[in-house]
Amino acid sequence: MSNSTSPVSVNPVSQIGKPDSPYVGRFAPSPTGPLHFGSVIAAVASYIDARANHGRWLVRMEDLDPPREPPGAAAQILKQLTQLGLVWDGEVLYQSQRLENYAQALQELQNSDLCFHCDCTRSKIKASGPIYDGTCRHRAPPPAHGYAVRIKTRNTLIEFEDLVQGVYGQNLGTEIGDFVILRKDKLFAYQLAVVVDDEYQGITHVVRGFDLLDSTPRQVYLQGLLNYSTPRYGHIPVIVNEKGDKLSKQSFAPTADVQNSSVLIYQCLALLGQAPPANLLNTVPDAQLRWGIEHWDIQAVPKLAKLPQELPK
Ligand code: GLU
């Protein structure tokens, strides 16, 4: 093993995983644009957690919404990951190639009478209360055109222990309501595709941003209905700008400057509570990642929803 602060890169970090390890993690970006710092920290956290657990780390491109995906964004994301030294295992999985699998899962849920058609408009739903009130659940005949497919939820608590945030629970029936798994525009909803693919790829650990914590009970619920296994989840704080808004395309977050990968990775390690030594800032990304893997303590990640991005010195 290299000295933790040594600037030299020894073996490629991708060789750290043991082929027989049961841990399989993943990074699943939506290619709506290049990575910004908020997505870089999610990639770094899931990568380091996987490698620290001698696991595999997969990349899945969640390209399910073509109108929101500028041409070339997926390729640019993969290039950025490579420049950051985040080497994935196996082939990248593209959700756009998996539509038949989502259709099958949808069919399975429909066959079990767990879904219904709904043509309620956004404004109607908004007017009827904070969550969808189930209007179309018992409508006969169900709408035949211009409908979304919703899954019936139940009035029970879904609870799990998040690796970072601790116990988290939600009653889908009262807090979320029957949710969409096939959109009106006939695109599969994220909640359905993500569980189908986490199962397909054998994902055992999902490390991602806090903004998805409240989606997790929906995913756990769908996993139960489809007889899938449920991964362990860990939700790291989302990075916010000086106005307190999540870094995103909508908040005009700048593209992560992967020419300065060392600064980015150092900053990720610091924000993830890993207390990297100052001299690690001047080392190459591979050595920084190696240090991060050797010293990784997921318990040290701040149990917060949001963290401001500190500017690199
Ligand atoms: N594609 C989602 C996003 O970029 C992340 C999905 C996930 O990690 O479950 O926000």
Side-chain angles (χ1 to χ4, degrees), residues 43-70:
V44 167
S46 70
Y47 175 85
I48 292 184
D49 192 58
R51 298 307 191 207
N53 286 286
H54 307 290
R56 287 164 53 75
W57 187 69
L58 311 182
V59 171
R60 178 167 76 230
M61 210 43 81
E62 302 212 321
D63 54 348
L64 269 189
D65 196 347
R68 292 182 56 229
E69 295 157 8

Side-chain angles (χ1 to χ4, degrees), residues 26 28-30 62 190 194 208 212:
R26 50 68 159 186
S30 303
E62 302 212 321
Y190 157 68
V194 76
R208 59 186 178 187
L212 293 167

Side-chain angles (χ1 to χ4, degrees), residues 225-277:
L225 298 180
L226 289 161
N227 283 317
Y228 293 169
S229 42
T230 291
R232 292 297 314 267
Y233 290 94
H235 289 86
I236 64 165
V238 291
I239 305 299
V240 294
N241 61 20
E242 60 288 349
K243 286 195 214 138
D245 299 328
K246 179 188 165 217
L247 297 190
S248 67
K249 199 174 169 186
Q250 290 70 34
S251 68
F252 306 105
T255 300
D257 177 11
V258 288
Q259 300 307 326
N260 285 315
S261 292
S262 296
V263 174
L264 291 178
I265 294 171
Y266 186 87
Q267 212 182 356
C268 288
L269 290 169
L271 289 170
L272 290 166
Q274 306 300 303

Side-chain angles (χ1 to χ4, degrees), residues 9-17 47-48 51-52 55 85-87 89 285-291 293:
S9 157
V10 200
N11 296 318
V13 182
S14 64
Q15 289 174 12
I16 288 174
Y47 175 85
I48 292 184
R51 298 307 191 207
L86 302 175
V87 182
D89 294 302
D286 270 4
Q288 293 178 313
L289 291 170
R290 183 173 290 280
W291 184 93
I293 292 162

